[in-house]
């Protein structure tokens, strides 16, 4: 895989996604979830809310890169906060 630039941030990103998916799989196996209605305009399951959070994090990072000169850790902190908010109340 020499064609890929496996830097520490890139590897950390993919490891974090793999750990989140593994944790969600174990959580679903131990305690099956159900659809519920939160502040999102649709009924969602845990997996739906995780997917929405990951999409939002990706768009937030792209917007931050395109529109500001801020460091990426600001978008990362906002994305993690958004993940917890959407999983808890979404």
């Amino acid at each position: 895989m020499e064609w890929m630039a496996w830097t520490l941030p890139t590897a950390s990103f993919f490891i974090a996604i793999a750990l989140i998916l593994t944790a969600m799989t174990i959580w679903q196996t131990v305690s099956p979830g159900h659809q519920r209605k939160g502040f999102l305009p649709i009924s969602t399951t845990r997996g739906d809310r995780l997917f929405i959070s990951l999409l939002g994090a990706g768009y937030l990072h792209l917007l931050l890169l395109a529109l500001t000169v801020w460091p990426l850790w600001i978008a990362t902190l906002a994305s993690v906060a958004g993940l917890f908010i959407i999983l808890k109340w979404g």
Side-chain angles (χ1 to χ4, degrees), residues 34-46 48-50 52-53 81-90:
H34 58 280
Q35 287 197 348
R36 67 176 175 90
K37 181 93 165 102
F39 66 82
L40 294 172
I42 56 174
S43 293
T44 58
T45 63
R46 287 182 201 136
D48 297 334
R49 292 188 298 273
L50 175 66
I52 291 167
S53 298
L83 171 78
F84 287 118
I85 289 169
I86 290 175
L87 283 177
K88 178 76 174 167
W89 296 294

Side-chain angles (χ1 to χ4, degrees), residues 10 20 22 24 26 29 68 75-76 79:
T10 304
I20 289 170
T22 302
M24 289 293 287
I26 292 168
T29 303
T68 69
T76 302
S79 296

